[in-house]
Amino acid sequence: MPSIQILSEADHKIRADTLMNSLAHDAVSDIITVVPAVVAGLTTLVLWGHGNDTALCGRNAQAMIALIKAWRDINPGLRNVEIITCNSRHFVDHPGGVAPATFWRSQLAHPFSRINNSMAKQIKRGLKYSSSTALKAIKLKSMPESTSGSFGTYSILYWQQISSTWCYCIGDTEPGMFKLGAYVAYQKKIPIDLVNPHGAVRAGDFVAKLAAAKIDYPAVNFGNVSAGILTALRGILVDIN
């Protein structure tokens, strides 16, 4: 009897299915557009797809809250939601543009400070301020905001299908984040090329790649880069309060 329902975007379905298979018959996996259905014993909804501070799996926070509600309405045992994506905890200001919607209660609670408008926090506020007692009780987990104590603005979750390993990079800037990923993905050129320091693609899984990058680039701070096997991915998720 599966207790976990994984919902993913179409281009994340293979990795979502791999996660399902790693959970030893305790999960089912579907595209996020599937019609919500009764899953006997369901306790946890896992969402895996593209993400930033305006959308997760192609849906804004309000749409994601509606999706969670639709699944909870017909699965009363659902009490956990887990978000696996890039930028679930990170956000940028949108001067002159359209900022993500913020609940007025948050605006009152933080009148003189910057409101955390990451996708995870937007969804958490939607659950927390819902009129539904059932939604208020749902526990939300997502990717870590930091793995070293310093806080960036961008994050990316790399995936290697052949080895079922992942690499999570957090950066202060988007170029800086991608550069960290490049240090992990590519070998250091010998002799050193200061303009383009990266050579051929590294061999091995992401765990091996990160270990090699730390040797090749000793001056680079990899404190906000982590890597692991698939069964360790959900373990790095943190509670969103």
Side-chain angles (χ1 to χ4, degrees):
M1 181 183 296
S3 65
I4 300 170
Q5 171 70 59
I6 305 169
L7 298 176
S8 64
E9 288 188 270
D11 61 353
H12 282 58
K13 185 64 165 62
I14 293 177
R15 66 191 73 177
D17 287 350
T18 306
L19 175 60
M20 174 190 68
N21 292 334
S22 75
L23 293 170
H25 308 295
D26 195 34
V28 290
S29 173
D30 291 290
I31 299 296
I32 196 165
T33 53
V34 69
V35 176
V38 174
V39 179
L42 182 64
T43 63
T44 303
L45 198 64
V46 177
L47 307 169
W48 196 350
H50 297 287
N52 56 32
D53 57 356
T54 60
L56 168 63
C57 297
R59 305 179 183 213
N60 64 18
Q62 287 73 24
M64 291 306 307
I65 294 162
L67 177 72
I68 294 169
K69 182 180 185 302
W71 281 90
R72 174 59 181 78
D73 284 348
I74 56 177
N75 292 281
L78 178 61
R79 57 181 180 270
N80 305 296
V81 174
E82 299 176 358
I83 299 173
I84 302 175
T85 186
C86 311
N87 290 311
S88 64
R89 300 294 307 285
H90 300 98
F91 66 102
V92 294
D93 290 319
H94 295 267
V98 179
T102 300
F103 281 83
W104 62 269
R105 294 187 191 182
S106 294
Q107 294 172 335
L108 291 177
H110 305 279
F112 304 109
S113 61
R114 186 186 192 209
I115 296 175
N116 185 325
N117 258 332
S118 67
M119 180 53 58
K121 288 294 284 187
Q122 290 180 62
I123 293 175
K124 178 61 180 181
R125 286 195 290 263
L127 299 173
K128 179 180 179 179
Y129 298 136
S130 170
S131 59
S132 166
T133 301
L135 291 186
K136 288 178 183 289
I138 287 179
K139 294 182 179 180
L140 182 66
K141 286 189 172 185
S142 193
M143 306 297 291
E145 187 173 11
S146 171
T147 57
S148 69
S150 62
F151 301 97
T153 305
Y154 296 90
S155 61
I156 188 168
L157 179 63
Y158 293 103
W159 171 253
Q160 187 184 83
Q161 183 63 40
I162 192 171
S163 66
S164 295
T165 58
W166 51 269
C167 180
Y168 184 54
C169 298
I170 301 170
D172 294 330
T173 66
E174 194 169 38
M177 174 193 71
F178 284 124
K179 190 169 185 179
L180 278 173
Y183 283 133
V184 175
Y186 298 99
Q187 293 175 311
K188 185 176 183 179
K189 278 187 177 178
I190 302 296
I192 297 173
D193 182 340
L194 296 178
V195 177
N196 182 16
H198 305 123
V201 175
R202 291 188 188 280
D205 60 28
F206 268 125
V207 177
K209 289 174 186 286
L210 178 56
K214 291 178 178 179
I215 295 172
D216 277 359
Y217 304 99
V220 175
N221 182 2
F222 289 100
N224 262 332
V225 181
S226 55
I229 58 176
L230 176 60
T231 51
L233 180 55
R234 293 177 64 228
I236 73 168
L237 302 180
V238 298
D239 292 326
I240 309 299
N241 298 310

